[in-house]
């Protein structure tokens, strides 16, 4: 790695009027801090630390960060740490609303088109996944008593050559009709989440809830930041998936509801991709259900999401 000093003197309007002597003092500090990581044994860690240092100092110099603003930033991060617990991850939320989560996904999930079909696109993981979701059978119900309109979800899991993927593990989770995930309640409920497996033909099906828009948690520091910026905390309607299978790349994604007005307004975490927008077809009360479930006088919906997994080494 080339460790020669790199001039990161800010150039734009913010730098106008900075005396050359002051710019040199600032650049010398950048070079000194970067050099302090020269003996880092792990080359990747060395690259990350030195690049982070350069970019962080460049930001401070470009905006001419004041000491008051620096203190406010420290207080903001401290507050994010204090509100984070085993049920809520404020730093993931911060990453999401800054687009950092989606950018990381973009650079780690380049579109794979090496087979007959393109792999399904990935999107943000979100802060509400848990490891203890119950298993349901083919055609089972993930709602667990959560309020909302029943929705039949079905599809197949294949590889990019079109081969069905049997025994793929599918984790699904979503908010209820009030816009809350089970972990946001204090009664220990498990609802709106489950896992299931594809059959020998790569097929899966389950009952969930028709997704509705909801706000991300905005009662903490991230919410205050969005309010100050005039940004909405509302997410477009979506249903989470995580799909794992042997020798295939793990997929973390959502599907979104075609026609949801929030898609046009903007998803607060920038997670919407056109290929992930699916039609949720409304079914009138009394319409026969795919697996014979009796919903009484209740309307329901149905959608199809066919999933294509890329090779593990793609």
């Amino acid at each position: 790695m080339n460790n020669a000093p790199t001039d990161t003197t800010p150039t734009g309007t913010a730098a106008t009027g900075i005396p050359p002597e002051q710019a040199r003092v600032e650049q010398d500090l950048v070079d000194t801090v970067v050099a302090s990581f020269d003996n880092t044994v792990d080359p990747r860690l060395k690259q990350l630390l030195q690049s982070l240092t350069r970019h962080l100092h460049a930001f401070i110099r470009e905006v001419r960060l004041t000491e008051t603003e620096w203190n406010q930033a420290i207080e903001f991060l401290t507050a994010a740490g204090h509100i984070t617990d085993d049920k809520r991850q404020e730093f993931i939320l911060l990453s999401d609303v800054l687009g950092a989560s989606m950018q990381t996904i973009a650079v780690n999930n380049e579109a794979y088109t090496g087979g007959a079909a393109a792999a399904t696109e990935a999107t943000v993981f979100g802060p509400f996944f848990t490891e203890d979701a119950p298993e349901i059978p083919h055609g089972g119900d993930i709602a667990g008593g959560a309020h909302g309109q029943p929705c039949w979800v079905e599809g197949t899991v294949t590889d990019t050559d079109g081969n069905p993927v049997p025994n793929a593990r599918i984790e699904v989770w979503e908010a209820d009709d009030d816009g809350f995930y089970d972990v946001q309640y204090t009664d220990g409920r498990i609802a709106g989440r489950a896992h299931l497996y594809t059959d020998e033909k790569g097929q899966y099906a389950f009952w969930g809830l028709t997704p509705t828009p909801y706000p991300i948690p905005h009662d903490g520091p991230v919410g205050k930041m969005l309010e100050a910026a005039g940004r909405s905390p509302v997410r477009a309607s979506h249903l989470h998936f995580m799909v794992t299978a042997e020798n295939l790349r793990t997929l973390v994604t959502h599907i979104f509801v075609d026609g949801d007005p929030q898609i046009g307004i903007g998803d607060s975490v920038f997670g919407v991709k056109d290929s992930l927008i699916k039609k949720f077809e409304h079914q009138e009360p009394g319409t026969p259900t795919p697996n014979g479930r009796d919903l009484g006088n209740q309307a329901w919906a149905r959608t199809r999401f066919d999933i294509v997994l890329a090779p593990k080494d793609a």
Side-chain angles (χ1 to χ4, degrees):
M1 181 182 298
N2 181 10
N3 293 320
T6 301
D7 191 346
T8 55
T9 304
T11 58
T13 55
T16 302
I18 299 175
E21 297 81 3
Q22 174 64 23
R24 177 45 53 194
V25 168
E26 295 171 8
Q27 185 60 48
D28 285 347
L29 177 59
V30 177
D31 295 341
T32 299
V33 180
V34 169
S36 74
F37 296 112
D38 280 348
N39 295 325
T40 306
V41 175
D42 185 324
R44 175 61 174 170
L45 179 59
K46 178 180 178 180
Q47 179 189 20
L48 293 173
L49 292 172
Q50 291 187 326
S51 182
L52 173 63
T53 297
R54 293 188 187 98
H55 285 276
L56 178 60
H57 282 252
F59 165 76
I60 293 170
R61 299 173 70 194
E62 177 186 337
V63 303
R64 310 311 293 170
L65 193 71
T66 68
E67 292 181 38
T68 298
E69 291 164 340
W70 181 86
N71 279 310
Q72 289 173 333
I74 296 299
E75 291 170 1
F76 175 87
L77 293 175
T78 301
H82 285 165
I83 204 170
T84 296
D85 57 25
D86 61 342
K87 302 291 186 183
R88 174 171 180 165
Q89 233 302 351
E90 194 77 0
F91 288 103
I92 290 179
L93 207 60
L94 177 60
S95 174
D96 288 349
V97 302
L98 292 177
S101 299
M102 277 303 300
Q103 192 67 272
T104 303
I105 289 166
V107 301
N108 283 278
N109 292 272
E110 296 179 25
Y112 179 78
T113 56
T120 300
E121 291 190 282
T123 189
V124 291
F125 193 51
F128 296 119
F129 173 76
T130 67
E131 298 282 355
D132 58 357
E135 182 177 350
I136 59 170
H138 186 91
D141 188 3
I142 77 167
H147 297 294
Q149 182 190 69
C151 181
W152 176 257
V153 184
E154 63 184 346
T156 59
V157 178
T158 61
D159 63 21
T160 53
D161 291 323
N163 301 307
V165 181
N167 206 41
R169 180 178 174 125
I170 302 176
E171 299 269 0
V172 285
W173 66 103
E174 63 178 325
D176 62 20
D177 214 28
D178 295 320
F180 295 105
Y181 289 82
D182 53 1
V183 295
Q184 294 178 277
Y185 293 98
T186 58
D187 56 10
R189 72 184 71 180
I190 299 177
R193 69 176 70 243
H195 73 273
L196 66 157
Y197 294 88
T198 55
D199 63 17
E200 66 278 2
K201 296 180 180 178
Q203 298 173 335
Y204 74 92
F206 63 90
W207 285 99
L209 303 174
T210 304
T212 55
Y214 68 86
I216 60 174
H218 56 103
D219 57 341
V222 171
K224 291 179 181 177
M225 182 190 75
L226 292 179
E227 183 179 4
R231 280 180 53 185
S232 169
V234 178
R235 287 223 58 197
S237 308
H238 62 276
L239 171 62
H240 292 266
F241 283 77
M242 182 167 71
V243 187
T244 55
E246 188 175 359
N247 297 322
L248 295 169
R249 189 166 69 189
T250 295
L251 172 69
V252 175
T253 195
H254 313 346
I255 53 174
F256 298 88
V257 179
D258 187 27
D260 175 10
Q262 192 64 39
I263 291 176
I265 298 171
D267 180 44
S268 59
V269 306
F270 313 102
V272 178
K273 294 185 177 181
D274 289 345
S275 68
L276 301 176
I277 300 173
K278 304 298 176 183
K279 290 187 180 298
F280 283 70
E281 299 173 348
H282 176 77
Q283 309 293 312
E284 293 294 337
T287 304
T289 60
N291 66 344
R293 180 182 181 184
D294 183 5
L295 293 174
N297 193 34
Q298 189 175 14
W300 54 286
R302 66 184 303 165
T303 191
R304 183 175 187 88
F305 180 36
D306 292 321
I307 299 165
V308 181
L309 301 180
K312 193 169 187 176
D313 58 354

